[in-house]
Amino acid sequence: MNKELRVAAYAVCVQKEQILLARFVARDGTRKWTLPGGGMDHGEDPLDTVVREVEEETGYTAEMTALLGLDSIRRHYARRLGAVADFQGLRIVYEGRITGGSLRSETNGSTDLAAWFPLEALRSLDRVELVDVGLELWRSRPPVGRSAQRGSTTT
């Protein structure tokens, strides 16, 4: 089994009861809304990652105003030639504030559209789980940086 680790940083940007999202395009063409952000380059600081990714995916410049928390996911999936990947994603979630730029969609990237959505409209939106995780962290601001229903604990 191939072990894979991906560290990524994302922003929860809420203004006037609206949240900024980017539409992720999967390899199979499936499209779902997600938080702006993405994978950290080797040697890159997570804060630099999220600022870069917000600009790439939405056209906005942003500053991060708070570290909201961490989210860890683990999945197994098939790879080429019959191999199986044991994937772990470590997602660093920040609160962001838009400071400039203008809304535009990413070209030649992993997202194809960026938009603002009213918070109350999210239930009907086709989205990835990270949107809900990020909003829960934003709302609850847990002292240990992880929402109560996520992750595992050991005693």
Side-chain angles (χ1 to χ4, degrees):
M1 188 171 304
N2 297 327
K3 293 180 180 178
E4 298 177 10
L5 174 66
R6 180 175 187 261
V7 180
Y10 297 90
V12 176
C13 300
V14 176
Q15 289 182 182
K16 300 177 184 173
E17 296 300 309
Q18 292 193 334
I19 187 169
L20 178 63
L21 299 177
R23 192 170 66 181
F24 174 72
V25 182
R27 289 186 180 124
D28 66 1
T30 303
R31 290 170 165 79
K32 291 187 177 186
W33 293 97
T34 188
L35 297 175
M40 199 169 81
D41 293 334
H42 181 78
E44 187 177 33
D45 185 276
L47 193 56
D48 295 334
T49 299
V50 70
V51 169
R52 173 181 55 78
E53 288 282 348
V54 168
E55 195 281 326
E56 286 176 5
E57 294 181 354
T58 70
Y60 288 122
T61 55
E63 69 175 352
M64 299 304 113
T65 57
L67 174 62
L68 296 175
L70 304 172
D71 185 57
S72 181
I73 58 168
R74 191 167 179 191
R75 297 191 175 114
H76 294 91
Y77 59 89
R79 300 285 284 164
R80 285 189 237 158
L81 305 175
V84 174
D86 179 359
F87 172 83
Q88 181 179 6
L90 177 62
R91 305 182 298 191
I92 305 164
V93 183
Y94 292 92
E95 177 179 42
R97 184 176 71 82
I98 302 304
T99 58
S102 58
L103 184 65
R104 63 147 175 78
S105 299
E106 182 177 29
T107 54
N108 300 320
S110 60
T111 65
D112 70 345
L113 195 58
W116 290 94
F117 292 93
L119 291 172
E120 69 270 4
L122 290 181
R123 290 182 191 194
S124 63
L125 202 60
D126 196 10
R127 64 195 185 281
V128 300
E129 67 172 333
L130 180 60
V131 174
D132 298 324
V133 169
L135 276 173
E136 173 60 26
L137 290 169
W138 179 75
R139 287 183 176 119
S140 66
R141 298 181 185 268
V144 296
R146 185 174 71 192
S147 64
Q149 71 265 30
R150 300 289 294 182
S152 62
T153 59
T154 56
T155 55

